[in-house]
């Protein structure tokens, strides 16, 4: 449905519903950021010192750096989510920060394939906003991060020492595959919001019509009752004169 053809009342109700969804989702991500920040620190200290072979047990400088990256990476979206939960720009900052956390987890785990699933979970969570545009910037961040690191620093993202551009493209393909379904889900969800708003407006209009008819009918009955009472009084007066 074209936005120009939408009843302004429907648009207002739909927008109000989407703002509530944005506020609720932003606050959910604020809690998630706290948990992810703690998980990143624990993972950096406990998990990442071990390589694929499990032979190294030293916390490297880049792992320590990842710890200090995780905290500011969480603070900014948490602040925006709590201070400006209804603002449109907050969800985009949260979306980019969320996939950067995914990249951080992949990095501090030494490119373990299991941590790549965090990206797919992050994108799925971002679909809670019911806005497909929120997925675009995070997807671009994932593509640039994996392509760049896959070529110049493959062990940090794919757990292998050789350059892996094709692996990066394969991963990008899966991300796009997921995005197609998430975009469709977001578009469908927004249509459902508009449809529910339309039904609410139609219900309100029906209620207003019924209420107007009841008031009109009540007025007619009161007028009729007044006429009858007048006739009764007149009859009584005439009978009294007789």
């Amino acid at each position: 449905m074209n936005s120009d053809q939408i009843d302004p009342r429907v648009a207002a109700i739909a927008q109000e519903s989407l703002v509530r969804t944005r506020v609720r989702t932003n606050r959910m991500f604020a809690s998630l950021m706290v948990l992810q920040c703690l998980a990143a620190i624990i993972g950096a200290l406990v998990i990442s010192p071990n390589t694929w072979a499990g032979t190294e047990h030293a916390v490297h400088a880049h792992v320590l750096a990842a710890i200090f990256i995780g905290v500011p990476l969480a603070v900014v979206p948490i602040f925006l989510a709590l201070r400006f939960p209804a603002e449109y720009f907050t969800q985009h900052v949260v979306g980019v920060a969320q996939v950067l956390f995914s990249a951080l987890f992949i990095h501090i785990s030494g490119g373990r394939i299991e941590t790549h699933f965090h990206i797919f979970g992050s994108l799925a969570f971002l679909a809670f906003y019911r806005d497909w545009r929120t997925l675009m910037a995070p997807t671009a961040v994932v593509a640039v991060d994996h392509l760049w690191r896959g070529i110049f620093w493959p062990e940090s993202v794919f757990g292998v020492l050789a350059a892996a551009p094709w692996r990066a493209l394969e991963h990008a393909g899966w991300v796009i595959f997921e995005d197609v379904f998430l975009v469709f889900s977001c578009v469908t969800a927004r249509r459902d919001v508009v449809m529910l708003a339309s039904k609410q407006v139609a219900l309100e209009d029906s209620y207003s019509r019924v209420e107007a008819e009841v008031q009109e009918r009540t007025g007619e009955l009161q007028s009729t009752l007044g006429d009858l009472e007048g006739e009764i009084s007149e009859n009584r007066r005439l009978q009294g004169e007789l």
Side-chain angles (χ1 to χ4, degrees), residues 36-158:
Q36 289 178 147
C37 186
L38 294 175
I41 294 174
I42 294 173
L45 293 173
V46 178
I47 302 173
S48 60
N50 300 313
T51 64
W52 280 103
T55 56
E56 296 183 12
H57 299 277
V59 179
H60 299 288
H62 67 267
V63 176
L64 294 175
I67 297 175
F68 293 104
I69 290 173
V71 174
L73 193 59
V75 168
V76 174
I78 288 174
F79 171 76
L80 292 178
L82 297 180
R83 182 65 180 83
F84 305 103
E87 296 298 330
Y88 183 69
F89 64 83
T90 298
Q91 71 187 52
H92 290 281
V93 175
V94 169
V96 172
Q98 181 61 29
V99 294
L100 286 176
F101 250 114
S102 296
L104 178 62
F105 280 126
I106 293 170
H107 172 63
I108 65 178
S109 71
R112 284 175 172 79
I113 192 63
E114 292 82 3
T115 52
H116 286 254
F117 291 110
H118 191 276
I119 288 177
F120 297 100
S122 294
L123 293 174
F125 287 161
L126 291 175
F128 288 170
Y129 283 113
R130 297 179 178 177
D131 188 347
W132 64 269
R133 293 167 294 186
T134 308
L135 299 167
M136 298 300 101
T139 300
V141 170
V142 171
V144 172
D145 172 76
H146 277 52
L147 186 61
W148 182 82
R149 288 202 293 166
I151 295 175
F152 298 103
W153 195 7
E155 66 272 19
S156 70
V157 65
F158 295 118

